[in-house]
Amino acid sequence: MQDNATEVTAAGIARLAGVGRAAVSNWRRRHADFPRPVGGTETSPSFALPEVEGWLRRHGKLAEVPLKERVWQQLAGHPAGPVTALTHAGCVLLLIHDRSPLWLEVSSGSDERLAAMLPSALEQVLTPRLGEANRSRVNGAGTVNTSAHTSAAPTAALTAPAAPTASATLAALEPPTAPQLLPSAPLLRGVAELAADSGARHTFEFLLGRHLDANPRQYTLTPADLCGLMAGLAGPARTVLDPACGTGALLRSVTSRPGQELYAQDSAPDLAALTALRLALHTRAPVHAATGDTLRADAHSAVRADAVLCHPPFNERNWGHDELAYDPRWEYGFPARTESELAWVQHALARLRDGGVAVLLMPPAAASRRSGRRIRADLLRRGALRAVVALPVGAAPPYNIPLHLWVLRRPEQAPAQPEVLLADAGQFAGEGRGGPDWAGVRETVLDAWRAFDRAGRLDERPGLARSVPVIELLDDDVDLAPARHLPPPAAADGAGRLSDVRERLGETLRLTARLTPPPVDPARPAAPGRLPLTTVGELARGGALVMRTGGNGGHARVPVLTDHDVLSGTTPSGTLPESDEEAVLTEPGDVVVPVLGGGSVARVIDETTAGAALGRNLVLLRPDPAALDAWFLAGFLRGTANNRQASSYASTATRLDVRRLQLPRLPPAEQRRYGARFRALDAFEQALRQAGRLGEQLVRGMYDGLTDGTIDPDGTIDPDGTIDPEGTVATEGTVATEGTVAPD
């Protein structure tokens, strides 16, 4: 066995064999010839992949593993790290994409021959596609600090010069050497096989996407829909620059055109290298990518681009304030230490040709912080800042605030009566965590920008956009937040929406009245005596139900059911980072119980919520339908006394021990009788929640309409929308969980 063989975890072995992790643990205990760990920790060991595959084959346990999964396992377990493996794979995919016969020539024979011949073959492709600027050279003394797009300690993808310092620009990509490539040989052959099925470009996108998903906290990504919007605002361009390129998503969204050139730079070597490969596979345009701190050591200082697209790092204090006080880029004023974003704005303007357009993603505070008001004022006076667009909440990380887009143009001459476009797409925010309505955002923003760009002004679009004379903004604050300057929505539209809400509320209240349980009949008490009880733990041991706990993201991209979703009765809205542990996916008929908070809540999964991953602090119970009715189980788990006796208390929280929850031993027919009543109560509860949400929406809309003048205080919305207070339709029977009321 090679010392640097690819390693795989127990979860990876389980996926290879198509079993659960418990089976892998049993194999380790029961089979003396099972491979020994070669790395990892005592609680999470790793094993040599070739040894594991050999053992699985000998014992007939190797499942038919999809090629994608096998290649990913080799990449994720690469002895030099997944970033190095991904870079080697990208180089070979570019070779296959551009000169596949050359790959066939060098890949024939042994792994040693492949590793020896591959560097010169890669150089024949990388030099013409990525240019001499991407060959190994150093401008200055070394490398740079990492940007907000990178991990705290990024893994270098390539060979770097020794003794780097903080003021250098490095080539983004250099052909790896034969010793570096030898451990990657099995991976590269698998990658080539995968490319034969899926194509080189799609193969790289798959592997890069898997890597980014597996490390969500290490990279700040720009969503594809937002990239498309920013590229649309910039318009067609021949020369495009991204000075903080990250994974290259913005440049990848640019529409290709003849004679196009792409320029990229990032302070993290791994991101610069991956961007260079990604763009080279995506387009035939020359790609000039470099590694370096853009503000301190600009690799493209001579470029005058048609367009600059940038998602800069936010809120950086160490951006070079002390070193760059006399930098010629600060045409509009020297940015304060707390205004790193305005440094990026001026850098973008400095790299534009006259008339060129820059689009930057900005934090909303940059539009109103007092420390930046002088620079904002000069950008407005000289006609450089052309538009500020407020995006919906959830458009990009951080997802909890509405970010802004700034559209700038390097002025050829100062406009006589300048105006600036202010637009607000906040109304297109999605519900929960589903993301914005990007089709609505794109149509609204691009239409407003193009109309404004043609005419230099825009008639008011209430609640959406207007062009504002610059003179109106040049006050003491120079506050550019669009919401502070836009007119409210048209009165007719606001009243119309409230009419719809009121109509839906009336329907929901009528439904709630029909579902309201009737009064308890004192003449029909529950059967005397206490029923024999059992616990969830006993039922699990007897096989009547399966008990699972949540909290693992697995590798599936599915919505996550959170404890908040269960408590509030809403659809799955959470996310979990990808992990080697398989996610627990819900199925219709499952019962989900939160274990924190002290509330007596249980939710039966239906078709609309099935397939979601189980989130943290949740326990899933999967009853055997032949032995246990799901609604009967959920109903008795919600009993207040039942929850109290199964709960333990810490200083600040209550935790529920689900195994101790009790329910009566009843035959299936009696379970179904109780289950029907519990199900009716659940429908009543959901109707109450919906009525509450609609009521809050109506009240808020009325307050807003009355205070902003879009609703007449003497007017009405829907004079016919009354509810008959006597329209209650009684249902038969009531139910309780303590045996005091009969289900019928």
Side-chain angles (χ1 to χ4, degrees):
M1 183 194 71
Q2 294 179 345
D3 292 338
N4 56 0
T6 299
E7 297 178 11
V8 63
T9 64
I13 298 174
R15 280 194 295 272
L16 288 172
V19 299
R21 285 198 61 183
V24 178
S25 298
N26 287 335
W27 294 342
R28 293 184 62 195
R29 288 194 300 268
R30 293 167 51 193
H31 296 274
D33 62 338
F34 193 88
R36 301 297 180 191
V38 296
T41 64
E42 184 176 347
T43 57
S44 181
S46 58
F47 306 83
L49 182 58
E51 289 188 355
V52 169
E53 288 181 332
W55 187 90
L56 292 173
R57 286 194 180 92
R58 290 195 304 273
H59 289 264
K61 301 181 184 297
L62 186 63
E64 187 61 35
V65 182
L67 179 60
K68 282 186 173 182
E69 185 63 35
R70 178 160 56 85
V71 171
W72 168 249
Q73 289 291 342
Q74 291 175 322
L75 187 146
H78 194 281
V83 174
T84 297
L86 187 56
T87 306
H88 293 175
C91 290
V92 165
L93 288 169
L94 185 58
L95 176 63
I96 294 170
H97 183 268
D98 285 6
R99 301 185 63 178
S100 57
L102 184 55
W103 161 255
L104 294 176
E105 178 184 344
V106 301
S107 62
S108 60
S110 65
D111 289 352
E112 288 73 14
R113 180 179 182 274
L114 169 64
M117 296 185 64
L118 194 52
S120 61
L122 292 177
E123 191 165 356
Q124 296 179 48
V125 174
L126 296 177
T127 297
R129 290 303 307 279
L130 303 179
E132 290 293 337
N134 288 287
R135 298 294 306 281
S136 178
R137 60 182 175 85
V138 181
N139 296 334
T143 189
V144 294
N145 298 327
T146 57
S147 74
H149 291 281
T150 71
S151 64
T155 304
L158 307 163
T159 302
T165 66
S167 61
T169 301
L170 299 180
L173 192 59
E174 170 191 0
T177 63
Q180 292 171 327
L181 286 169
L182 182 57
S184 301
L187 166 67
L188 300 181
R189 296 186 189 277
V191 165
E193 187 180 352
L194 187 57
D197 293 336
S198 306
R201 181 187 305 169
H202 289 95
T203 298
F204 187 75
E205 289 295 324
F206 161 72
L207 295 174
L208 176 62
R210 267 289 190 97
H211 173 66
L212 297 177
D213 288 346
N215 301 276
R217 298 183 179 180
Q218 295 186 14
Y219 304 98
T220 299
L221 305 181
T222 311
D225 290 306
L226 177 56
C227 292
L229 174 61
M230 294 174 68
L233 288 168
R238 191 183 69 83
T239 304
V240 189
L241 165 68
D242 185 348
C245 63
T247 59
L250 280 169
L251 290 175
R252 188 173 178 270
S253 67
V254 174
T255 302
S256 298
R257 58 177 301 181
Q260 191 172 66
E261 291 188 81
L262 303 178
Y263 292 83
Q265 183 169 346
D266 200 275
S267 59
D270 56 345
L271 292 180
L274 295 178
T275 291
L277 292 167
R278 189 182 196 187
L279 295 176
L281 284 164
H282 178 72
T283 178
R284 298 300 303 181
V287 178
H288 309 278
T291 297
D293 184 324
T294 297
L295 295 181
R296 288 185 172 94
D298 184 13
H300 306 301
S301 58
V303 171
R304 293 299 176 264
D306 299 313
V308 174
L309 301 175
C310 186
H311 176 178
F314 296 162
N315 302 319
E316 280 202 340
R317 296 298 182 96
N318 185 28
W319 58 267
H321 177 272
D322 296 336
E323 304 101 300
L324 303 173
Y326 301 101
D327 196 287
R329 288 172 291 183
W330 316 142
E331 297 180 49
Y332 302 88
F334 180 41
R337 189 183 302 276
T338 57
E339 294 288 352
S340 63
E341 296 86 7
L342 294 182
W344 286 97
V345 164
Q346 295 191 75
H347 172 83
L349 284 167
R351 295 297 165 259
L352 286 173
R353 63 164 177 81
D354 289 347
V357 177
V359 184
L360 283 82
L361 184 66
M362 301 283 282
S368 56
R369 279 191 297 242
R370 289 189 61 81
S371 55
R373 66 189 186 277
R374 293 184 180 178
I375 294 177
R376 292 195 299 270
D378 208 29
L379 290 169
L380 291 173
R381 288 192 195 97
R382 296 170 60 179
L385 181 59
R386 306 301 296 135
V388 176
V389 178
L391 295 170
V393 171
Y399 290 107
N400 60 329
I401 60 174
L403 300 176
H404 288 179
L405 290 178
W406 285 24
V407 184
L408 305 111
R409 175 173 280 125
R410 184 166 183 82
E412 298 175 269
Q413 60 182 14
Q417 293 181 328
E419 296 193 6
V420 63
L421 174 67
L422 300 179
D424 189 347
Q427 64 179 268
F428 298 102
E431 296 183 3
R433 302 183 186 178
D437 173 11
W438 279 110
V441 173
R442 185 179 178 86
E443 180 181 359
T444 299
V445 173
L446 290 181
D447 183 62
W449 164 249
R450 287 165 181 166
F452 170 78
D453 196 34
R454 286 192 302 267
R457 63 178 308 277
L458 182 74
D459 293 333
E460 287 187 1
R461 300 182 180 184
L464 291 175
R466 67 177 288 220
S467 61
V468 182
V470 165
I471 193 65
E472 293 185 15
L473 300 172
L474 296 178
D475 54 16
D476 289 340
D477 295 324
V478 196
D479 192 334
L480 306 181
R484 296 195 172 104
H485 303 281
L486 292 179
D493 293 340
R497 285 194 296 271
L498 290 181
S499 296
D500 293 340
V501 173
R502 190 172 187 274
E503 183 177 347
R504 291 167 57 200
L505 175 60
E507 293 174 356
T508 305
L509 289 174
R510 287 189 285 272
L511 173 63
T512 305
R514 290 195 298 271
L515 294 173
T516 303
V520 175
D521 185 357
R524 297 186 61 189
R530 297 188 61 84
L531 297 170
L533 300 176
T534 185
T535 66
V536 169
E538 291 172 350
L539 291 171
R541 288 191 293 272
L545 59 82
V546 175
M547 186 172 174
R548 303 288 299 276
T549 57
N552 298 312
H555 294 286
R557 293 186 176 183
V558 296
V560 175
L561 186 69
T562 68
D563 53 352
H564 175 75
D565 299 330
V566 176
L567 294 169
S568 60
T570 54
T571 56
S573 65
T575 57
L576 285 171
E578 184 173 309
S579 67
D580 289 334
E581 299 286 346
E582 293 295 332
V584 177
L585 302 182
T586 58
E587 297 178 2
D590 289 344
V591 178
V592 177
V593 184
V595 297
L596 292 180
S600 54
V601 177
R603 178 170 178 176
V604 179
I605 301 299
D606 56 18
E607 295 291 344
T608 62
T609 53
L614 193 67
R616 297 184 180 92
N617 302 320
L618 291 176
V619 171
L620 179 145
L621 305 176
R622 183 165 294 161
D624 179 356
L628 202 56
D629 180 82
W631 285 101
F632 164 78
L633 172 64
F636 273 95
L637 297 188
R638 292 193 59 174
T640 302
N642 198 7
N643 272 257
R644 188 181 299 119
Q645 64 84 28
S647 296
S648 57
Y649 305 93
S651 57
T652 59
T654 303
R655 186 171 188 87
L656 180 68
D657 184 351
V658 177
R659 292 181 176 274
R660 294 171 56 188
L661 288 171
Q662 299 176 335
L663 61 159
R665 298 179 182 271
L666 294 176
E670 190 70 4
Q671 290 183 31
R672 288 190 290 272
R673 194 164 69 97
Y674 272 95
R677 291 302 168 213
F678 286 132
R679 191 167 192 165
L681 278 177
D682 181 78
F684 174 61
E685 183 178 35
Q686 292 186 40
L688 284 176
R689 285 174 170 164
Q690 177 68 1
R693 287 191 286 264
L694 290 170
E696 289 178 1
Q697 189 176 348
L698 180 61
V699 169
R700 173 48 51 197
M702 288 294 297
Y703 271 112
D704 290 344
L706 289 168
T707 55
D708 63 25
T710 58
I711 294 178
D712 184 349
D714 295 327
T716 59
I717 297 175
D718 181 5
D720 298 324
T722 58
I723 299 174
D724 180 7
E726 298 181 0
T728 302
V729 179
T731 56
E732 296 182 3
T734 58
V735 67
T737 58
E738 297 182 4
T740 58
V741 180
D744 294 331

